[in-house]
Amino acid sequence: MWYKIEVAGLTLGLSGVGILLTVIFFWERIPDEIRQYFYGGEPGVFITGVLVVVGLFSILLFIANLIFKRFYLWWLRLFGVIALFLGILVIGASGI
């Protein structure tokens, strides 16, 4: 049960990171109407930021699940945690 909540949180976090990385890498090709949602304080940035925070909280569930010996597909969930951290690292290095 708990690993399902963890996987859902990791999926939401990875989707938020994916959206932000897409916006960062393809900023020039995105139309102005869509770009407006990703300026500071706008809904697009707020929603993706909340998704990333949900992903970060699910990492705590990952650690708790490992402590309580819930090892169902732990290597795949670990890959999700590493991908989330690397995505956040790239977003932070981009300077937005």
Side-chain angles (χ1 to χ4, degrees), residues 1 7 12 15 20 22 24 32 40-41 43 55 71 75-76 87 94-95:
M1 168 70 178
V7 169
L12 289 174
S15 65
L20 283 175
T22 303
I24 290 169
D32 290 333
F71 296 121
W75 52 272
L76 189 60
S94 70

Side-chain angles (χ1 to χ4, degrees), residues 24 90-96:
I24 290 169
V90 171
I91 290 169
S94 70
I96 62 167

Side-chain angles (χ1 to χ4, degrees), residues 6-7 9-10 16 21-22 35-36 43 55 70 74 80 84 90 96:
E6 172 200 337
V7 169
L10 278 175
L21 287 176
T22 303
R35 249 195 268 177
Q36 290 176 353
R70 297 181 186 119
W74 69 271
L84 183 69
V90 171
I96 62 167

Side-chain angles (χ1 to χ4, degrees), residues 21-78:
L21 287 176
T22 303
V23 168
I24 290 169
F25 289 135
F26 299 110
W27 183 256
E28 295 84 20
R29 296 185 180 134
I30 297 175
D32 290 333
E33 296 84 21
I34 296 173
R35 249 195 268 177
Q36 290 176 353
Y37 290 110
F38 290 97
Y39 290 126
E42 295 296 324
V45 175
F46 180 75
I47 291 170
T48 53
V50 168
L51 290 176
V52 170
V53 170
V54 167
L56 287 174
F57 281 132
S58 68
I59 293 172
L60 296 175
L61 279 175
F62 174 73
I63 294 169
N65 284 334
L66 288 181
I67 290 172
F68 291 122
K69 297 181 182 177
R70 297 181 186 119
F71 296 121
Y72 182 72
L73 293 177
W74 69 271
W75 52 272
L76 189 60
R77 296 180 356 229
L78 178 65

